[in-house]
Amino acid sequence: MLQSLASNSCVRLIQSHRSTWYFVSLVLGYILYLIFGAVVFSSVELPYEDLLRQELRAIKKQFLQENDCLSEERLEQFLKKALDASNYGVSILNNASANWNWDFTSALFFASTVLSTTGYGHTAPLSDGGKAFCIIYSVIGIPFTLLFLTAVVQRIMVFSTRRPIMYIHTRWGLSKPLVAIVHATVLATVAVSCFFLIPAAIFSALEENWNFLESFYFCFISLSTIGLGDYVPGEAANQRFRELYKVGITVYLILGLIVMLVVLETFCELQQLKQLRKMFYLKKEKPQDRLAILEHDHLSFTTVSRRAPSQNEDKMQPYVTALASPSDDPLIQ
């Protein structure tokens, strides 16, 4: 008997806090996913890092043996300055000295990566004034970009998603959730083809050292606003039409980001995903519950307001009685 009561109380407790339990499971699942990613990346990339370190040590040792007049300390200082400059996008190599990082087209490309929060990191402001302006520019520009993207996506969604789904639903009488799923799948396929596969083939042809996988990798890292910066187009020494190429990449990034947001918004409007999201959200207060609370407050206020005059009447009753019986007043007698 006690066990059944305890089990029933546990079931009622879980059902009453179902959204909380779903949220806790979501948090735990996200933490496990982070750990899973760390384990996979570490196991895959650590051997390559160790191999690269060994190769660099061997090259450095061979260079010092061939140049006895150069000490290891002087070489370390030179390499440190060269690497620090490379982190800011400045290279000391002869074939890379012709490319400027802060001409107009490169600065335009940098501004687009800042506002879209992609941030490749291959170029960074060198001066204190540039760093201060970058902070102010980002504080104003990122919310401005979010407002711009939201307005553009909202208008595109009307013509790309909502009207086609409603037209097919009313014209052929098909189920609206089914039409929405098929439409989202077709839209995602078109977006992947036009903004991932085709640009990857173009980048692999224009960039000498990129294969198709590396080009596709760049497209995904860029349009998902991850922006690792290990692959940046237009940085080759013998890049033809570099200024026009940089402008084209800037336009591609902005259009691709808009299309990705349209696809994500289309999937978010699917009925199945809406139900899935509701599992982890706090339940909104129902109008009936709100009305009951208001009625309860109104009744409480009415009761208090009724009690107050009655108490005042009770307090005034002796004085009223005294005034109502003049025979008891000695002056009147």
Side-chain angles (χ1 to χ4, degrees), residues 60-80:
K60 177 184 173 183
K61 184 178 179 181
Q62 183 180 359
F63 180 81
L64 290 174
Q65 289 176 355
E66 294 175 354
N67 300 273
D68 298 334
C69 59
L70 181 63
S71 63
E72 186 175 358
E73 291 77 12
R74 296 287 301 276
L75 179 62
E76 290 282 347
Q77 293 176 1
F78 172 75
L79 291 176
K80 185 178 183 303

Side-chain angles (χ1 to χ4, degrees), residues 10-267:
C10 291
V11 170
R12 286 196 299 270
L13 179 64
I14 293 174
Q15 290 179 352
S16 60
H17 298 83
R18 183 181 299 176
S19 176
T20 304
W21 292 112
Y22 284 151
F23 178 73
V24 171
S25 63
L26 178 66
V27 173
L28 292 177
Y30 188 76
I31 294 174
L32 292 176
Y33 193 72
L34 285 175
I35 296 173
F36 169 74
V39 170
V40 172
F41 283 127
S42 178
S43 60
V44 172
E45 296 297 328
L46 193 59
Y48 287 92
E49 180 186 0
D50 183 60
L51 180 61
L52 183 59
R53 286 176 181 271
Q54 292 178 7
E55 291 178 356
L56 288 176
R57 291 194 191 100
I59 293 173
K60 177 184 173 183
K61 184 178 179 181
Q62 183 180 359
F63 180 81
L64 290 174
Q65 289 176 355
E66 294 175 354
N67 300 273
D68 298 334
C69 59
L70 181 63
S71 63
E72 186 175 358
E73 291 77 12
R74 296 287 301 276
L75 179 62
E76 290 282 347
Q77 293 176 1
F78 172 75
L79 291 176
K80 185 178 183 303
K81 289 190 179 227
L83 291 175
D84 290 340
S86 179
N87 291 332
Y88 285 97
V90 179
S91 177
I92 62 171
L93 299 177
N94 291 329
N95 57 0
S97 59
N99 295 335
W100 292 88
N101 294 322
W102 294 106
D103 55 355
F104 177 76
T105 54
S106 299
L108 180 65
F109 179 70
F110 174 78
S112 67
T113 59
V114 170
L115 295 183
S116 62
T117 67
T118 304
Y120 291 112
H122 70 293
T123 303
L126 300 174
S127 63
D128 293 338
K131 294 174 184 177
F133 176 74
C134 185
I135 295 173
I136 300 172
Y137 184 72
S138 302
V139 168
I140 299 174
I142 292 176
F144 188 26
T145 304
L146 293 176
L147 177 62
F148 164 73
L149 293 176
T150 303
V152 172
V153 170
Q154 190 270 338
R155 281 163 173 75
I156 294 177
M157 285 289 295
V158 175
F159 300 98
S160 66
T161 299
R162 297 190 180 101
R163 286 188 180 180
I165 292 176
M166 187 59 63
Y167 175 79
I168 297 175
H169 172 65
T170 55
R171 181 64 182 270
W172 285 286
L174 299 176
S175 174
K176 193 173 181 180
L178 178 61
V179 175
I181 292 176
V182 175
H183 174 268
T185 305
V186 173
L187 185 64
T189 304
V190 173
V192 170
S193 301
C194 295
F195 288 90
F196 287 93
L197 297 178
I198 296 177
I202 295 174
F203 283 128
S204 62
L206 295 178
E207 299 290 334
E208 295 180 355
N209 299 324
W210 292 16
N211 55 30
F212 182 81
L213 177 61
E214 292 170 339
S215 301
F216 187 88
Y217 169 81
F218 164 76
C219 295
F220 178 80
I221 293 298
S222 299
L223 297 185
S224 60
T225 68
I226 298 174
L228 296 178
D230 48 351
Y231 289 93
V232 180
E235 297 299 321
N238 55 352
Q239 183 68 54
R240 299 178 58 186
F241 307 105
R242 184 172 183 268
E243 291 78 11
L244 183 61
Y245 189 33
K246 285 285 186 179
V247 173
I249 295 170
T250 303
V251 174
Y252 161 73
L253 291 177
I254 295 175
L255 292 179
L257 185 59
I258 292 173
V259 172
M260 290 302 103
L261 291 176
V262 170
V263 173
L264 289 177
E265 185 67 21
T266 301
F267 275 93

